[in-house]
Amino acid sequence: MCEKKSEWREKLVYDPKNGFLSLSEEDRAGMERYAEDYKKFLDNSKTERKCVDYAIELAEQRGFREYHRGMALQAGDKVYFNNRGKAIMLAVIGEKSLAEGANIGAAHTDAPRLDLKPRPLYEDSEMAFLKTHYYGGIRKYQWPTVPLELHGVVVLRDGSVVNVDVGDKPEDPQFIICDLLPHLGRAQSQKPLGEAIAAENLNLLVGSEPLADEEGKDLVKLQVLKWLYEKYGITEEDFISAEISAVPAGHARDIGFDRSLIAAYGHDDRVCSYAELAALFDVEKPEKTAVCIFADKEEIGSDGVSGMKSAAFDTFMEDLCEGQGVSLRACYEKSFCLSADVTAAYDPAFADVFEKRNSAFINYGIGLCKYTGSGGKGGASDASAEVVGLVRKLFNENGVVWQMAELGKIDAGGGGTVAKFMAERNIDTLDAGVPVLSMHAPYETVSKLDCYMTYKGMKAIFEKR
Ligand code: MN
Ligand code: MN
């Protein structure tokens, strides 16, 4: 009697389990190796520009060549196209014609941060500060009193480009935004969380010593300018043609006594970017052409020349298609895209914004997200049952631990990804990615198992779809 009952249960009931309960020794070893490589990627890739540079370095070591329009390509050839140093597309040419479609992984490498304003530097009360303009969805109260690094480029008056990187090396100084002491914080503590720290107060403290051999005002600011000039050749006007970002300092670290988690800045969405890249590196001669995209600007709407809405992607794909005498539209309609982006991991501390039956859990694998959006799927591409079915089948057949995910309770908020911009191109697209704890915070947390399963999932798509 009892046995019969459990038979029905197993046959009929969907009962997802923690991925560790079925993790093979081989997968465990693979996961550990993968986590080390991923942490290295994070530490080398604190901005989208650095993600592109590091991806090129890794890709060239693996035989990828820079793509030029008209280049003759054969099955198994590996190419990349660098879109202005801020986004990149890599492809491994398939055995079949692009008329059969491509398998695409699209993730983004920009992450929430504080960009310097065009006129950032000022002095107040004999301290020098840099004013910032936040980029993407941040919770402003999380950024004061966190050590910060600066990374970016400055285009000087003569057009030459200088790289600025301060704060990453052990001997480097770092920067900080100050907050109020609790002793004087009575009024501030009464404010709603979203208003306690104003955006215009997110100013980096960058100096306090006045330039002694000068007269007049703003001598601390002048001292900072002198230091910048001596180190980089930068003058104050040069900030106008610069892109410098303040990002959390420090490196990716294992979390937990069991080291099962990783905390770092920028998991969203470098965790999926790296998964696609690592999966593409494993692909030798795929049936269908495999394409990996690092998109920029997702956190501010995917606009701009390096965002997923940009024709840069279509141009790259059309160039590949032309080389085979295939029209782009014929390629797109048979293509598939995994929009690889993170999802919210269920957090028991904030249970009231999650719907537990449809939430992604840490260590339950890559989260498939049929739709994102807000207010009744608004703004979501909402993948079809067929598309979800295809991915589910592929993952089941290839040992990928996966789960279903919704981004929190209906009407609690919402969000989007690049999925809809791929779907608008007439490409079947499904969102899937790693569940993240404290997403968009200076330090986000993910599980190693979920990272590894996202890589395995992407590999299954590149090799088997
Ligand atoms: Mn994202
Ligand atoms: Mn995001």
Side-chain angles (χ1 to χ4, degrees):
M1 230 9 213
C2 262
E3 273 169 36
K4 204 171 184 183
K5 250 189 196 165
S6 81
E7 207 174 279
W8 281 116
R9 181 176 295 281
E10 198 173 320
K11 192 180 166 78
L12 298 179
V13 177
Y14 174 55
D15 186 20
K17 297 243 165 31
N18 188 304
F20 273 103
L21 301 179
S22 60
L23 192 68
S24 67
E25 280 309 305
E26 192 191 342
D27 270 344
R28 180 181 283 273
M31 176 186 86
E32 305 285 355
R33 270 196 311 274
Y34 180 82
E36 294 311 306
D37 292 340
Y38 171 50
K39 284 186 283 180
K40 211 178 291 169
F41 175 79
L42 283 171
D43 292 345
N44 279 289
S45 310
K46 293 230 171 151
T47 62
E48 64 275 5
R49 286 178 190 269
K50 289 187 173 289
C51 286
V52 169
D53 291 347
Y54 194 57
I56 290 174
E57 186 186 323
L58 294 179
E60 286 185 342
Q61 287 165 8
R62 289 160 179 80
F64 282 74
R65 293 171 297 148
E66 188 165 13
Y67 177 75
H68 300 285
R69 183 168 298 138
M71 203 181 217
L73 295 173
Q74 286 163 356
D77 278 354
K78 299 170 178 184
V79 291
Y80 67 84
F81 184 81
N82 176 350
N83 180 9
R84 299 168 171 89
K86 300 194 63 161
I88 189 169
M89 292 153 270
L90 305 97
V92 180
I93 307 302
E95 305 258 23
K96 288 189 174 166
S97 155
L98 278 161
E100 303 290 318
N103 288 322
I104 302 163
H108 68 93
T109 52
D110 60 318
R113 61 182 186 236
L114 305 175
D115 287 339
L116 297 195
K117 290 195 181 199
R119 295 189 65 184
L121 185 62
Y122 71 100
E123 175 173 338
D124 195 339
S125 312
E126 292 173 63
M127 291 185 280
F129 297 93
L130 289 170
K131 288 203 71 68
T132 68
H133 193 136
Y134 69 89
Y135 172 99
I138 65 162
R139 310 195 77 191
K140 297 177 203 76
Y141 74 87
Q142 294 176 336
W143 290 73
T145 72
V146 171
L148 299 165
E149 307 175 357
L150 290 177
H151 294 286
V153 298
V154 184
V155 179
L156 305 181
R157 188 181 273 264
D158 66 1
S160 59
V161 180
V162 179
N163 287 303
V164 172
D165 293 288
V166 191
D168 184 42
K169 294 189 204 73
E171 67 272 20
D172 280 356
Q174 296 179 335
F175 308 93
I176 203 133
I177 295 165
C178 299
D179 198 0
L180 197 51
L181 62 169
H183 316 66
L184 298 177
R186 199 177 293 161
Q188 187 200 36
S189 296
Q190 300 306 314
K191 290 185 183 173
L193 202 53
E195 292 168 18
I197 301 291
E200 292 292 355
N201 284 344
L202 294 175
N203 303 317
L204 306 178
L205 180 58
V206 297
S208 70
E209 184 186 333
L211 190 62
D213 52 359
E214 273 282 338
E215 280 175 21
K217 62 180 186 79
D218 290 351
L219 294 179
V220 176
K221 173 183 166 180
L222 200 57
Q223 175 85 298
V224 169
L225 280 171
K226 181 169 173 263
W227 187 87
L228 285 169
Y229 184 73
E230 284 171 357
K231 171 103 181 162
Y232 299 108
I234 296 171
T235 66
E236 191 173 11
E237 191 185 302
D238 294 327
F239 277 114
I240 290 168
S241 50
E243 278 183 343
I244 301 179
S245 304
V247 300
H251 293 157
R253 292 299 293 255
D254 287 351
I255 294 289
F257 292 116
D258 60 7
R259 312 185 83 100
S260 60
L261 305 150
I262 303 171
Y265 164 64
H267 282 311
D268 177 9
D269 187 32
R270 294 168 192 154
V271 69
C272 297
S273 306
Y274 186 70
E276 329 173 301
L277 188 70
L280 190 77
F281 287 162
D282 284 352
V283 172
E284 277 310 324
K285 223 182 233 183
E287 245 185 47
K288 299 193 178 86
T289 295
V291 180
C292 163
I293 306 166
F294 281 15
D296 180 27
K297 300 275 185 274
E298 193 277 342
E299 297 294 359
I300 56 169
S302 297
D303 298 295
V305 77
S306 50
M308 203 61 251
K309 290 183 198 167
S310 163
F313 171 67
D314 309 288
T315 302
F316 175 67
M317 291 303 293
E318 194 165 3
D319 286 346
L320 294 184
C321 284
E322 249 172 33
Q324 301 184 4
V326 173
S327 75
L328 181 66
R329 62 182 194 279
C331 172
Y332 276 178
E333 70 186 9
K334 293 245 175 101
S335 290
F336 172 80
C337 175
L338 198 79
S339 163
D341 204 346
V342 298
T343 188
Y346 182 84
D347 185 339
F350 305 103
D352 54 327
V353 294
F354 291 96
E355 195 267 281
K356 212 169 177 179
R357 286 181 192 81
N358 287 281
S359 290
F361 289 82
I362 286 288
N363 290 328
Y364 276 63
I366 177 173
L368 308 190
C369 207
K370 185 178 185 296
Y371 45 83
T372 58
S374 61
K377 303 191 181 181
S381 49
D382 197 8
S384 70
E386 289 84 349
V387 167
V388 181
L390 177 148
V391 174
R392 174 183 158 214
K393 183 165 180 286
L394 261 177
F395 285 3
N396 281 338
E397 287 167 358
N398 290 282
V400 180
V401 178
W402 62 273
Q403 59 185 325
M404 207 59 216
E406 267 194 339
L407 189 78
K409 251 185 196 168
I410 307 168
D411 291 345
T417 67
V418 302
K420 63 173 171 182
F421 309 117
M422 302 308 281
E424 281 166 10
R425 292 177 158 105
N426 197 21
I427 299 171
D428 275 326
T429 302
L430 178 64
D431 270 306
V434 175
V436 177
L437 291 164
S438 23
M439 193 196 292
H440 283 206
Y443 284 94
E444 306 173 312
T445 298
V446 297
S447 101
K448 291 180 179 175
L449 185 140
D450 299 334
C451 296
Y452 185 64
M453 290 302 159
T454 300
Y455 148 78
K456 275 189 77 168
M458 204 63 238
K459 188 166 145 87
I461 285 165
F462 283 151
E463 290 178 343
K464 303 283 172 61
R465 188 200 77 107

